[in-house]
Amino acid sequence: MSIQFKPEFVAAQNSRFRQFSRNHNDIIGAYCVIKNHRGEFLTLLDKNEIEKHRDAAKTDSIWKLWYNEMVYKTVIKKATRIHYEDIYEVMNDED
């Protein structure tokens, strides 16, 4: 699983490499890959989908304090819900 940030290209010792911002305003999306005996599954969320989940949240205070972690949680829960309904129901009961 990963959060994808807008890259900033930085020159270093005559070469160019990507330096990624960690500012949540620079997030462009997130993805989660699940691999197990059931198969291999990819779930993608773009910035708009992430914000829709945030807008639907019961409280925004957690998102303000822990934005990146909430993005991770959101993409994991979405992947689980889509691919593993039986596991998702147990996660939802505990959340």
Side-chain angles (χ1 to χ4, degrees):
M1 124 201 76
S2 179
I3 297 175
Q4 297 300 299
F5 294 88
K6 294 177 189 172
E8 298 174 4
F9 289 96
V10 179
Q13 299 176 3
N14 298 326
S15 66
R16 293 172 62 91
F17 66 95
R18 288 183 175 191
Q19 174 181 331
F20 290 93
S21 165
R22 293 294 175 228
N23 182 335
H24 76 266
N25 292 324
D26 292 335
I27 291 175
I28 58 173
Y31 68 91
C32 178
V33 177
I34 298 174
K35 296 179 184 181
N36 65 17
H37 68 281
R38 291 183 178 182
E40 193 170 311
F41 307 96
L42 173 67
T43 302
L44 304 169
L45 289 177
D46 65 22
K47 179 72 172 187
N48 291 332
E49 291 171 305
I50 292 167
E51 290 303 317
K52 284 180 187 176
H53 283 274
R54 181 181 183 174
D55 292 342
K58 294 176 185 173
T59 178
D60 196 48
S61 61
I62 296 294
W63 280 86
K64 287 179 182 174
L65 290 172
W66 300 101
Y67 188 87
N68 292 359
E69 288 77 5
M70 291 302 294
V71 172
Y72 285 129
K73 177 184 173 186
T74 301
V75 72
I76 291 168
K77 285 188 76 171
K78 183 168 181 101
T80 305
R81 181 174 40 87
I82 291 171
H83 304 293
Y84 302 102
E85 185 64 34
D86 54 332
I87 298 170
Y88 178 77
E89 289 180 14
V90 172
M91 283 176 61
N92 219 17
D93 291 341
E94 293 179 8
D95 192 16

